[in-house]
Amino acid sequence: MNLTFLGSGNIARAIIVGLVAGGTKPSDVTAADPFPAALDEAAKLGIKTTDNNHDAVASADVVVISVKPNIVPELAQSIASDVGERLLISVAAGITTASLSNWLTPETHIVRCMPNTPAQIQSGITGLYATPQITETERNIAEEILSAVGETIWVQDESDLNAVTAVSGSGPAYFFYIMEVMQEAAIGLGLSPEIAQKLVLETALGASKMAHAEIANKPPAQLRREVTSPGGTTEAALNVLLARDLSGVFRDAIRAANARSIELAKDA
């Protein structure tokens, strides 16, 4: 299977790294990009590179659009006559399948994906949506490709990708922010920046691993209760968070991200 990436930025290179690590031959992968510096980075992975989108699509079985959203309209229209019934996978945020079909053709076989930034270290999660033209074989191919950078989930309604964006697409920033403020608080208590950083990062990593390992039998709420001794330090901290309605703040924040995702899709 020959795979072409239109755009060779971070997410494209992350997928390529994951695929090659999983056994894909570098010679079966092509990256097309107009920028020589980007192609130089892609070439370091041992794959084929080109600045000619038409040639890259013509030689492909599967095409992955992995460029910035503002570039997609022009790119899609420029390859409309080349794509045919090839499987086209888009990881361009906010670009709907309706828009892609309009720029390409209504018959184009499209899978739209929403990965997140941990995909860059093969620890992401990607939401996928398949248009009606997609066959079971094509679903399996798309899932195999995106599984190269982490876990995958399929949604039945394309609009659900807005919620996926709000929760997991933007989600890493929420956790980074929590780590940031915890480090600042630790430094405020007199710890050195180095110690504060190590404590917070390892605590976040350990808590995530523990939740992942226990989730079948213990949801996060139970894990939280188990570590919260009555009258103890954890309870004292949680009482402050509960009193200030942190859960409400997070609900509002994620709803805001969801609403913005919907707006961006409408503007595309």
Side-chain angles (χ1 to χ4, degrees):
M1 182 178 69
N2 291 314
L3 180 61
T4 283
F5 288 81
L6 300 180
S8 58
N10 290 336
I11 186 62
R13 294 199 301 274
I15 295 172
I16 293 166
V17 168
L19 287 170
V20 172
T24 298
K25 296 178 181 178
S27 58
D28 290 339
V29 181
T30 299
D33 202 294
F35 299 105
L39 290 181
D40 288 344
E41 288 299 312
K44 294 176 183 178
L45 304 177
I47 65 172
K48 294 180 286 187
T49 61
T50 180
D51 60 3
N52 190 310
N53 288 335
H54 299 285
D55 289 347
V57 172
S59 65
D61 298 307
V62 180
V63 176
V64 181
I65 292 181
S66 52
V67 297
K68 297 293 185 182
N70 63 304
I71 300 174
V72 175
E74 181 180 355
L75 171 65
Q77 291 174 65
S78 73
I79 63 169
S81 61
D82 303 313
V83 173
E85 294 189 356
R86 291 175 175 83
L87 172 60
L88 185 140
I89 299 171
S90 172
V91 297
I95 303 297
T96 66
T97 57
S99 293
L100 286 168
S101 294
N102 183 54
W103 298 323
L104 294 160
T105 70
E107 294 76 30
T108 306
H109 292 215
I110 301 171
V111 172
R112 179 184 166 195
C113 306
M114 182 62 228
N116 62 0
T117 53
Q120 295 178 30
I121 58 168
Q122 285 71 54
S123 293
I125 184 164
T126 301
L128 300 94
Y129 168 76
T131 50
Q133 295 92 336
I134 294 296
T135 66
E136 190 64 27
T137 296
E138 289 173 325
R139 285 174 67 99
N140 292 336
I141 291 171
E143 185 168 335
E144 181 180 352
I145 290 171
L146 273 300
S147 292
V149 290
E151 298 293 325
T152 60
I153 58 166
W154 287 92
V155 297
Q156 296 300 313
D157 297 315
E158 185 171 7
S159 60
D160 288 341
L161 287 180
N162 295 313
V164 171
T165 300
V167 175
S168 67
S170 299
Y174 312 154
F175 288 99
F176 295 151
Y177 182 64
I178 291 171
M179 288 187 280
E180 177 187 348
V181 297
M182 286 181 66
Q183 287 182 40
E184 291 174 352
I187 293 169
L189 293 175
L191 295 176
S192 70
E194 294 76 18
I195 290 177
Q197 177 175 281
K198 188 170 182 63
L199 283 171
V200 171
L201 292 181
E202 293 302 320
T203 299
L205 179 62
S208 179
K209 285 183 175 180
M210 189 172 180
H212 198 277
E214 298 277 7
I215 197 65
N217 300 310
K218 296 180 180 180
Q222 183 175 345
L223 292 173
R224 171 180 56 81
R225 288 192 295 269
E226 289 180 357
V227 77
T228 308
S229 301
T233 59
T234 306
E235 184 181 66
L238 289 175
N239 283 343
V240 174
L241 299 178
L242 292 169
R244 298 185 184 180
D245 193 23
L246 184 64
S247 62
V249 170
F250 265 94
R251 283 194 299 271
D252 289 346
I254 292 173
R255 286 170 181 161
N258 182 70
R260 182 56 179 154
S261 180
I262 293 171
E263 289 174 1
L264 290 173
K266 289 179 179 178
D267 294 340

